[in-house]
């Protein structure tokens, strides 16, 4: 029996999102028949251009980057009640180029409500997003301490601003 998906406002569950994000969430992208999910530990939700927006960051070296450049949409699935540490660790260290992460981690892709990209069925909180802006980081503008912390290898992120077109919790 599929669980009910209750629509909520994009900012109703920010506390849960922001508490879980540093521990990991799933960023999922589907481009044609290619499907991948990766672990993110950074991101933010806000209100820009009169729209609710989820900003995610993906390095150009990641398999997800190429999928996202084509798909121009993504989902973020947050495990609030279920412990998915093992799946998050796997999806954060293995590449979709080499592994079917859904199969390896026994994750269930469930159809999104609005976008073509699925959400992770084992999670409780879901954001569906359409890219409305993207920006490659400009290394010269990054604070030195952040460069040392996150970009020692020069592998900078692209920031994707996704308009949140659906947000819901599984009951």
């Amino acid at each position: 029996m599929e669980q009910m998906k209750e629509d909520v406002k994009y900012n109703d569950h920010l506390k849960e999102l922001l508490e879980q994000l540093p521990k990991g969430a799933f960023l999922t992208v589907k481009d044609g028949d290619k499907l991948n999910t990766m672990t993110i530990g950074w991101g933010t939700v806000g209100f820009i251009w009169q729209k609710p927006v989820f900003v995610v960051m993906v390095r150009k070296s990641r398999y997800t980057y190429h999928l996202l450049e084509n798909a121009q949409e993504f989902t973020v699935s947050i495990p609030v009640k279920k412990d998915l540490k093992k799946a998050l660790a796997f999806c954060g260290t293995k590449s979709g180029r080499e592994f079917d992460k859904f199969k390896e981690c026994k994750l269930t892709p469930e159809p999104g409500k609005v976008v073509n990209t699925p959400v992770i069925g084992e999670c409780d909180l879901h954001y569906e997003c359409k890219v409305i802006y993207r920006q490659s980081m400009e290394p010269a503008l990054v604070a030195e301490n952040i460069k040392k912390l996150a970009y020692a290898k020069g592998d900078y992120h692209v920031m994707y601003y996704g308009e949140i077109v659906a947000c819901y919790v599984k009951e």
Side-chain angles (χ1 to χ4, degrees):
M1 181 179 113
E2 188 174 321
Q3 294 167 305
M4 291 295 295
K5 295 176 181 173
E6 179 196 346
D7 289 331
V8 294
K9 289 194 301 226
Y10 80 97
N11 56 357
D12 280 352
H13 292 274
L14 287 182
K15 183 178 189 293
E16 294 93 327
L17 165 67
L18 295 173
E19 283 175 3
Q20 179 59 39
L21 192 58
K23 301 173 200 165
F26 296 98
L27 170 66
T28 305
V29 182
K30 182 174 189 235
D31 174 29
D33 60 352
K34 292 182 189 139
L35 176 63
N36 190 48
T37 193
M38 66 177 273
T39 301
I40 59 170
W42 301 344
T44 190
V45 171
F47 196 76
I48 308 172
W49 305 303
Q50 301 173 345
K51 298 173 184 305
V53 172
F54 202 128
V55 181
V56 297
M57 301 166 73
V58 179
R59 296 179 196 267
K60 290 181 178 178
S61 61
R62 300 289 184 249
Y63 178 62
T64 299
Y65 167 76
H66 301 286
L67 301 180
L68 190 47
E69 281 292 302
N70 290 328
Q72 293 296 301
E73 64 175 38
F74 60 90
T75 64
V76 179
S77 297
I78 317 291
V80 177
K81 296 182 184 119
K82 199 167 178 187
D83 180 0
L84 295 178
K85 279 189 194 119
K86 284 184 180 162
L88 286 164
F90 186 91
C91 294
T93 56
K94 305 295 183 200
S95 174
R97 291 181 190 101
E98 294 149 29
F99 295 94
D100 177 342
K101 297 179 190 177
F102 287 88
K103 193 171 138 192
E104 297 283 338
C105 298
K106 296 180 177 60
L107 296 173
T108 311
E110 290 184 357
K113 287 185 168 193
V114 178
V115 300
N116 292 319
T117 297
V119 296
I120 306 287
E122 288 69 20
C123 294
D124 335 86
L125 175 57
H126 303 280
Y127 296 85
E128 296 185 18
C129 304
K130 291 187 177 187
V131 175
I132 54 174
Y133 180 73
R134 66 184 187 275
Q135 174 75 50
S136 292
M137 290 184 66
E138 178 57 55
L141 302 179
V142 180
E144 286 305 317
N145 62 326
I146 301 294
K147 275 187 196 176
K148 286 185 183 101
L149 170 78
Y151 304 106
K153 295 177 183 162
D155 192 9
Y156 288 86
H157 286 99
V158 175
M159 292 172 286
Y160 292 91
Y161 293 64
E163 177 182 358
I164 300 167
V165 294
C167 183
Y168 45 93
V169 291
K170 287 176 79 170
E171 293 297 308

